[in-house]
Every structure is written in structure tokens, then in C-alpha cells.
Amino acid sequence: QVQLVESGGGLVQAGGSLRLSCAASGRIFSSHIMGWFRQAPGKEREFVAAILWSGRSTYYADSVKGRFTISRDNAKNTVYLQMNSLKPEDTAVYYCAGPRISGSLYLRNSYNYWGQGTQVTVSS
């Protein structure tokens, strides 16, 4: 059983930065993949970024490459999403997910546990 709790969302102007955190309870293994997804109003939940818990591999959606960075702190069992150069189209509820159980890491159905979500709003 894994529980995920996100924090760090808020309101920011375009071009600004936010850092999201996802604290995980339960055992996370080095072979596990943890992910971030987001869902804007009226849209499907979409992949944002993922990380292999060992830290050796990271994965990003094309829309956030070069602006967002996913990382983890093993000692704190926490995954982070550093978001820079934010745009109004980044406005969404951001969800932490994991660990991936099977299937493509880019698909929401591959993840078994989800956090409650944190709102990110980027004003123009």
C-alpha cells in the first residue's frame, strides 16, 4: 500500500516558477517509476514527467521538456517537480502517481496509486 500526498501548488504569473512535492508512504524500490500527471478543466489527465526511483532515468512530455525537472529524495521518500518558465497553458490540477505497475509509463492506467492533486494556476 502506498499513499501519496502532494503539496506546493498555487497561483503564479507567467514566466514564474513553482516546486511541487509528493511525499510517499510505503516502500518505494529502486526499480519503481513515479510520475506526475495533470488535468486541466474539460481535458483528459495527461502525462507530465516520470522518474525511475534509482534516479538514473527521467522522462518528460514534449510540452514541458526544458522547463520542468523531476527529481527525488530517497531519504525523504519524496518526488519533486520543479516547474520553471510557467505558461498559462500549464494551469491544471497536478497529480502524483506511482509506482507504475505495468504498461507504458506515459499512460495513467499504468499507475496504481494517486495523490489528491494540487492546483497550479498560471496567470497571463
Side-chain angles (χ1 to χ4, degrees):
Q1 189 89 11
V2 175
Q3 289 187 327
L4 305 172
V5 179
E6 302 101 334
S7 61
L11 173 64
V12 65
Q13 288 189 333
S17 298
L18 283 173
R19 189 177 80 155
L20 305 183
S21 300
C22 172
S25 64
R27 188 71 183 273
I28 308 294
F29 295 93
S30 60
S31 60
H32 283 162
I33 290 176
M34 302 292 290
W36 284 98
F37 285 72
R38 67 186 181 186
Q39 188 166 16
K43 293 189 176 182
E44 294 289 320
R45 193 171 299 187
E46 64 175 5
F47 172 80
V48 175
I51 186 167
L52 186 62
W53 194 247
S54 67
R56 293 179 181 175
S57 297
T58 56
Y59 311 85
Y60 297 96
D62 288 343
S63 58
V64 307
K65 271 181 189 174
R67 300 188 299 121
F68 290 12
T69 302
I70 189 171
S71 62
R72 90 281 179 258
D73 184 327
N74 288 355
K76 296 183 178 180
N77 238 29
T78 298
V79 181
Y80 302 100
L81 185 68
Q82 177 67 43
M83 305 185 295
N84 299 330
S85 302
L86 282 161
K87 304 175 181 180
E89 51 263 45
D90 294 318
T91 295
V93 178
Y94 283 71
Y95 297 90
C96 180
R100 184 194 60 145
I101 47 175
S102 64
S104 171
L105 60 88
Y106 299 100
L107 300 180
R108 57 179 295 185
N109 290 341
S110 299
Y111 297 82
N112 206 23
Y113 299 100
W114 293 83
Q116 81 286 356
T118 185
Q119 176 71 47
V120 171
T121 303
V122 184
S123 64
S124 57

